[in-house]
Amino acid sequence: MPAEKAPAAEDDVAATPQDIIVTGSRVIRDGSASPTPLTTVSTEALLAASPSGTISDALNNLPVFSGSRNSFSNPGSNATGVQGGNGAANVLNLRNLGTYRTLVLFDGHRIPPTLYNSTVDVDLIPQELIQSVDVVTGGVSAVYGSDAVSGVVNYVLNKKFNGFRAHAEAGLSQYGDAATRNMGGAAGFDVGDRGHFEASVQHREADGILHRVGSRSWDNLAALQGTGSATNPYVLDQDVRLAAYSFGGKIASGVLANKTFNANGVLSAFDAGTSTNTSCCQIGGDGAYQDASMISPSRATQLFARFDYDLTDDVHVYVQGAANLKKNKSYTGWNVLNGLTISADNAFLSQDIQDQLDAAGQTTFKMNEIWSGAPRIEAMSKTRQIYVNAGIDGKLGDWNWDATYTHGSSRLKTVISNIPNQQRLAAALDAVVDPATGNVVCAASLVNSAYANCVPLNLFGPTASSQAAQDYVLGSVGFLTHTNMDAADAAISGTPFDTWAGPVNLAVSAEWRRVSFDASSTATATDYADCTNLTYNCSVTTATTSATALYPTTFPNSDTVSQSVKEAALEVEVPLLKDVPLFRSLKLNAAARYTDYSTSGDYWTWKIGGVWEVNNDLKLRGTMSRDIRAPTLYDLFQPTTVVVGTYTDVAGNKSVYVPSINNGNPDLTAEVGRTYTAGAVYKPSFLPSTTFTVDYYHTVVSDAITTVQGFNAATQQACINTGLYCNLIERNADGDVTAFYIRPENIAKVKTWGIDVEASYASRLFDKALSLRVLMNYQPHIYYEQPGIATIDQGGAGWGQNGLMPSPSVQVSAFLGYQLTDSIKLDLFEKFRNKFRRSGVEAQVFADEYVSSYATTNLTLTFDTGSAWKLQDGAFYVSVSNLFNAKPPLSGYYSGQSSAGQSYSFSDDPTGRAFLVGFRVKG
């Protein structure tokens, strides 16, 4: 990929050489001399291609960001796990090696973690004053420390902005949903002869798509069915429903078994629809389904300010701060009420039903229901992310030095609403007639004053439950986390001496940082229901101990845990040859870093690379590196978390509704990556303003930290076949699953390789400016190796275990800009991915193995209105994304048979054609 520095904005003050930051190095001052593949994309190019989103949304359109997570990803209500506590967080994932292996920088400095799994929600970074984004696709832990295994993304700030700019835009899909509103502005001015101040603000609102069911015609309750064997392959079916549940309540035992309350209070035979060859589900009929949100709605406000001052001609100081106030919401569907015990004398049952039960000598029966008559489960995540950075830099002769201090603080509060308080649910379900008044009341209220306000709950029908009963039963649980980072670093670089081939550049740096995390919860796994005076639906293990959690979803409390890191690094660039045959220049670049983690030991990382400039047209480059990703505090010390859900018991070939229990692992050590790159940059002299690049990369991560999920089908199969991981599956004496466990381990190896290709061209057509840029990533394999489990090849494959996102093997992004007239500019953006396999698990068999290819076209027209408004660079623009309304093909997830209407049914943006209008001014 080319390493060209983005052209300066018109209002930029010319930067001195020491102001230039080349991402991926502390000694290289010319990006084209970087041995590590480096791509620079200007903000203008990113937003022209996708003006309706943020810079980071647009950045995710680049082919190197395979499997990034943003608002288009399938949102979830789980406040723990791969989302880092926020399923709609905007995170970057180079090569689909994991967001935690991609290091995010802001103007060359590490961004503090904003999510408690140490991932950065890049919406923190102020969009209004970013002039370009550098993407380094190679290991650079020796330069920047841990996490830079798959690469680095550096947001480059325009530090010399003068004047003001403002913009506003609004968008809407052609279906009347997914509305967006975005406005912001920036201002900058000099303070005296030596100071400069700049600030920005931006506010964004996105209404999202709140329902999967009925929102898009192409997604009609799709889910994979079957077992994935040759005799029963996975089939992507439509109109998939859960066979054990209905919306009005399906009776699961006794004389009335397989009857359902399709109408309030009225029993009818349950229509079993058509078999799917999966025990959980059926096609059509009376089975229930879920209705999750398709795109998460969000609100966010970004604030930024910076002041810098020249103390002397050679000493410069600055202080800057940013804040991101963000709120996301998602819906996972309705509450699943599984195995309810109902008294035959329940007051809401008709006399006819009670008589049938009495005749059969039946005092209770079991019932399952998807409670669609109540509000859907809502997950609300509110974040307050603060970033403060202060620094001093200067020159000492021929040497440049700098020192900075950074503080980051992130507060994340997640509230899961509309879930049942299971003690109140048990009380409300036992409805009886008060002999004194003749009113229907809760049985417990007749013997225990604590239930005086209990409202009896009628679940016998789709809309039978009253609002008062819902208000009594449903509650919420909250999870509050704080993640803080303090860091200090210093560096000095310069030229200690020259050789005949040029100056030797040297940089020495040191860094210290401390990261801490704490968590608190309003409902923990040890908060149990009080079963006193409750006859049904509240289990007791002893005379005084309950086995029923107060809420089906619980979160942990955690005392403050922390880790400190001390690092020292050395980097050198040595010119070896210059102006000899076949060698216009040859330079060697090398770096080494020592890192000491208080929690996981000490490590050496290194990088060595070179650039061979054959002539003015051709340049060859290559690197090899040893990189690390240390375990995060959450990997090490995450407190126990329990989430109850529906899973498939592979051994029993049946659905189970059981808790999934997360634990940390304090014995984890750092994973180690080895990366090799080799590439070429060709700028033909016979074709000016044209660049071709090609880069090969190969990465192996050993001792990789993987979260082993007991409920995962492959993990369960490994237990059956080899006895491994059986400790993650808890069964009772009858062999029934009672719980699954989740735990991170240093047991995996990740391997990938691929090729990046880029071509750019600038010229004039009919005397008007024309630019073309095409980027392609070919990544045929991403191997995940784990003992006892068949190797997963996520390259060219769809959804994978542990939150792995789809990874097409070929992705292409093309940018075309053309100045149609002096006042009208056309921008076209084309994004393409090839078809991919539905799963990376080789042994799985699919009736239709592939998800078809997909491409979208974005069109933007910008009308120059500056002269009319007498403002510099005034413009009005209109944009159509997904111009041809391409429908994303359904993908499905092999562990999501029972997720119809809930998750994992698509891998591409589901919005469809959308329109946006906006304006911007600059003065």
Side-chain angles (χ1 to χ4, degrees):
M1 294 183 180
E4 302 301 319
K5 186 179 185 295
E10 292 179 3
D11 51 355
D12 287 351
V13 176
T16 58
Q18 62 264 32
D19 290 330
I20 297 173
I21 297 173
V22 175
T23 305
S25 173
R26 296 180 186 271
V27 298
I28 298 174
R29 299 294 173 185
D30 176 9
S32 65
S34 171
T36 307
L38 169 64
T39 294
T40 295
V41 187
S42 69
T43 299
E44 289 77 10
L46 287 168
L47 294 182
S50 182
S52 61
T54 66
I55 291 175
S56 300
D57 285 330
L59 201 62
N60 275 325
N61 286 322
L62 301 183
V64 292
F65 291 102
S66 175
S68 290
R69 188 180 296 276
N70 52 37
S71 62
F72 300 145
S73 304
N74 289 276
S77 65
N78 186 2
T80 60
V82 296
Q83 294 97 333
N86 188 342
N90 203 339
V91 298
L92 300 174
N93 182 1
L94 282 166
R95 312 288 192 213
N96 207 9
L97 293 181
T99 61
Y100 35 77
R101 298 187 182 109
T102 300
L103 181 63
V104 179
L105 305 177
F106 178 38
D107 222 37
H109 296 283
R110 178 185 291 260
I111 286 284
T114 56
L115 304 173
Y116 59 74
N117 64 352
S118 292
T119 296
V120 174
D121 182 352
V122 290
D123 283 343
L124 167 66
I125 298 170
Q127 175 171 305
E128 301 295 326
L129 287 168
I130 298 299
Q131 68 180 21
S132 63
V133 182
D134 294 343
V135 181
V136 177
T137 50
V140 282
S141 287
V143 178
Y144 294 114
S146 179
D147 305 335
V149 175
S150 56
V152 167
V153 181
N154 182 28
Y155 290 75
V156 181
L157 180 69
N158 180 354
K159 297 187 287 288
K160 299 297 183 180
F161 178 76
N162 279 310
F164 78 90
R165 65 162 64 114
H167 69 92
E169 56 253 353
L172 189 71
S173 82
Q174 75 169 43
Y175 302 102
D177 54 19
T180 59
R181 295 163 295 280
N182 185 5
M183 62 185 68
F189 51 87
D190 292 331
V191 180
D193 294 333
R194 291 183 175 271
H196 181 264
F197 176 81
E198 62 188 33
S200 67
V201 61
Q202 184 183 55
H203 179 72
R204 302 191 309 274
E205 298 182 356
D207 293 348
I209 301 176
L210 301 185
H211 296 272
R212 287 179 185 266
V213 178
S215 292
R216 297 296 183 268
S217 61
W218 44 264
D219 185 7
N220 178 28
L221 300 176
L224 283 175
Q225 298 296 288
T227 62
S229 64
T231 57
N232 187 15
Y234 287 125
V235 176
L236 185 63
D237 283 324
Q238 298 271 2
D239 197 20
V240 175
R241 299 160 181 256
L242 296 175
Y245 301 86
S246 71
F247 288 128
K250 179 185 179 184
I251 297 179
S253 67
V255 67
L256 300 179
N258 294 319
K259 291 184 180 293
T260 179
F261 292 95
N262 282 339
N264 291 347
V266 179
L267 273 177
S268 58
F270 179 83
D271 182 354
T274 304
S275 171
T276 66
N277 293 326
T278 303
S279 60
C280 68
C281 301
Q282 63 186 55
I283 304 295
D286 292 331
Y289 51 83
Q290 289 292 3
D291 183 16
S293 48
M294 184 171 276
I295 294 181
S296 298
S298 66
R299 303 286 186 274
T301 300
Q302 290 175 340
L303 304 168
F304 176 77
R306 174 187 170 92
F307 177 72
D308 55 76
Y309 191 80
D310 295 326
L311 294 176
T312 70
D313 290 344
D314 293 328
V315 180
H316 174 83
V317 295
Y318 74 90
V319 61
Q320 62 188 13
N324 183 35
L325 311 176
K326 185 176 179 182
K327 179 170 67 176
N328 301 307
K329 184 190 297 183
S330 63
Y331 300 92
T332 56
W334 297 287
N335 283 288
V336 178
L337 304 179
N338 181 72
L340 300 176
T341 300
I342 306 297
S343 169
D345 296 326
N346 188 287
F348 290 120
L349 292 173
S350 68
Q351 188 61 51
D352 176 63
I353 294 174
Q354 293 188 33
D355 290 343
Q356 292 182 62
L357 293 168
D358 183 59
Q362 194 173 328
T363 59
T364 62
F365 62 88
K366 296 287 187 181
M367 190 175 80
N368 302 325
E369 182 169 337
I370 300 292
W371 193 8
S372 62
R376 291 179 297 169
I377 300 172
E378 175 187 294
M380 176 72 76
S381 295
K382 294 182 179 180
T383 60
R384 184 192 65 201
Q385 303 160 356
I386 306 295
Y387 167 80
V388 179
N389 175 240
I392 182 170
D393 58 72
K395 291 181 63 69
L396 187 63
D398 292 332
W399 292 81
N400 299 317
W401 58 269
D402 67 84
T404 67
Y405 173 79
T406 299
H407 172 73
S409 175
S410 179
R411 179 184 188 272
L412 170 61
K413 183 177 183 180
T414 298
V415 177
I416 311 299
S417 302
N418 303 326
I419 59 175
N421 177 309
Q422 300 195 120
Q423 180 176 325
R424 290 190 169 195
L425 176 64
L429 282 173
D430 193 7
V432 299
V433 176
D434 184 349
T437 65
N439 296 326
V440 178
V441 297
C442 304
S445 68
L446 299 178
V447 294
N448 190 335
S449 61
Y451 293 101
N453 64 337
C454 178
V455 181
L457 176 63
N458 182 356
L459 289 177
F460 308 129
T463 60
S465 57
S466 68
Q467 185 64 53
Q470 293 177 24
D471 293 342
Y472 175 75
V473 168
L474 296 177
S476 62
V477 298
F479 186 48
L480 178 64
T481 68
H482 298 92
T483 304
N484 298 298
M485 186 186 88
D486 289 277
D489 63 84
I492 185 169
S493 63
T495 303
F497 59 89
D498 291 358
T499 70
W500 73 274
V504 173
N505 295 319
L506 177 72
V508 179
S509 61
E511 182 176 353
W512 168 88
R513 65 181 178 272
R514 180 181 183 274
V515 180
S516 64
F517 163 80
D518 66 75
S520 60
S521 168
T522 62
T524 71
T526 57
D527 291 333
Y528 292 105
D530 181 354
C531 296
T532 305
N533 301 125
L534 300 179
T535 306
Y536 308 109
N537 301 300
C538 195
S539 301
V540 179
T541 55
T542 68
T544 58
T545 304
S546 170
T548 298
L550 189 59
Y551 285 96
T553 298
T554 63
F555 300 119
N557 290 323
S558 172
D559 294 333
T560 300
V561 293
S562 64
Q563 65 180 190
S564 59
V565 188
K566 293 176 287 186
E567 302 184 275
L570 172 71
E571 184 180 4
V572 62
E573 181 188 48
V574 181
L576 301 177
L577 295 171
K578 183 178 181 181
D579 295 330
V580 298
L582 296 180
F583 290 90
R584 187 171 184 270
S585 71
L586 177 63
K587 294 181 179 181
L588 176 72
N589 176 266
R593 174 177 291 257
Y594 173 76
T595 302
D596 180 12
Y597 274 85
S598 63
T599 52
S600 49
D602 55 283
Y603 306 91
W604 280 97
T605 55
W606 52 263
K607 181 189 75 168
I608 186 168
V611 177
W612 171 18
E613 194 170 348
V614 180
N615 52 42
N616 289 332
D617 293 2
L618 180 62
K619 187 181 302 180
L620 305 177
R621 60 192 180 191
T623 65
M624 56 182 177
S625 64
R626 183 183 193 267
D627 309 283
I628 65 167
R629 202 276 287 189
T632 67
L633 286 172
Y634 199 73
D635 291 330
L636 296 164
F637 305 119
Q638 62 175 295
T640 299
T641 306
V642 179
V643 177
V644 180
T646 301
Y647 306 95
T648 300
D649 175 10
V650 173
N653 190 27
K654 61 183 178 181
S655 293
V656 293
Y657 187 71
V658 295
S660 175
I661 303 170
N662 286 1
N663 291 307
N665 184 355
D667 298 324
L668 293 172
T669 59
E671 53 188 34
V672 178
R674 286 289 185 94
T675 296
Y676 306 88
T677 70
V681 180
Y682 181 51
K683 297 182 177 181
S685 55
F686 61 85
L687 196 59
S689 300
T690 303
T691 301
F692 300 98
T693 71
V694 59
D695 284 284
Y696 168 83
Y697 59 88
H698 186 280
T699 299
V700 178
V701 182
S702 301
D703 295 325
I705 299 169
T706 187
T707 300
V708 186
Q709 301 169 321
F711 61 77
N712 186 275
T715 303
Q716 294 187 59
Q717 198 63 51
C719 171
I720 296 169
N721 295 340
T722 67
L724 290 171
Y725 314 120
C726 291
N727 61 324
L728 301 178
I729 306 168
E730 180 181 278
R731 298 181 182 274
N732 61 20
D734 296 327
D736 296 325
V737 172
T738 56
F740 289 109
Y741 289 85
I742 301 174
R743 179 182 171 91
E745 300 281 359
N746 280 109
I747 59 172
K749 179 176 285 189
V750 184
K751 301 178 182 177
T752 190
W753 65 269
I755 298 173
D756 290 318
V757 178
E758 181 174 348
S760 61
Y761 173 73
S763 184
R764 299 187 71 82
L765 180 64
F766 303 116
D767 201 34
K768 301 297 181 184
L770 171 71
S771 63
L772 176 65
R773 191 175 189 183
V774 180
L775 301 96
M776 185 194 78
N777 175 43
Y778 172 61
Q779 189 177 8
H781 303 289
I782 311 175
Y783 294 112
Y784 288 84
E785 300 176 358
Q786 185 176 325
I789 292 179
T791 296
I792 295 174
D793 184 2
Q794 196 64 19
W799 305 100
Q801 64 182 17
N802 295 345
L804 295 176
M805 304 288 279
S807 300
S809 60
V810 176
Q811 296 191 88
V812 181
S813 296
F815 303 80
L816 171 68
Y818 182 57
Q819 193 72 41
L820 292 172
T821 70
D822 291 340
S823 59
I824 303 176
K825 184 173 185 290
L826 166 73
D827 284 284
L828 280 174
F829 171 68
E830 184 77 11
K831 183 178 182 181
F832 166 84
R833 65 155 179 80
N834 68 337
K835 68 179 183 180
F836 56 78
R837 292 170 288 116
R838 296 191 183 276
S839 169
V841 181
E842 184 177 356
Q844 293 175 345
V845 180
F846 292 81
D848 180 6
E849 184 179 1
Y850 289 96
V851 178
S852 60
S853 59
Y854 184 69
T856 56
T857 304
N858 294 356
L859 167 68
T860 302
L861 289 172
T862 304
F863 304 87
D864 184 359
T865 58
S867 58
W869 294 353
K870 301 185 183 305
L871 290 169
Q872 178 189 1
D873 195 26
F876 171 77
Y877 46 94
V878 295
S879 178
V880 184
S881 58
N882 195 350
L883 180 64
F884 302 107
N885 198 29
K887 295 177 175 56
L890 295 171
S891 53
Y893 178 35
Y894 64 84
S895 287
Q897 290 102 330
S898 59
S899 298
Q902 191 163 24
S903 60
Y904 305 118
S905 60
F906 59 89
S907 57
D908 303 287
D909 181 357
T911 306
R913 185 185 292 119
F915 307 91
L916 177 135
V917 296
F919 72 90
R920 64 171 179 262
V921 294
K922 182 187 292 185

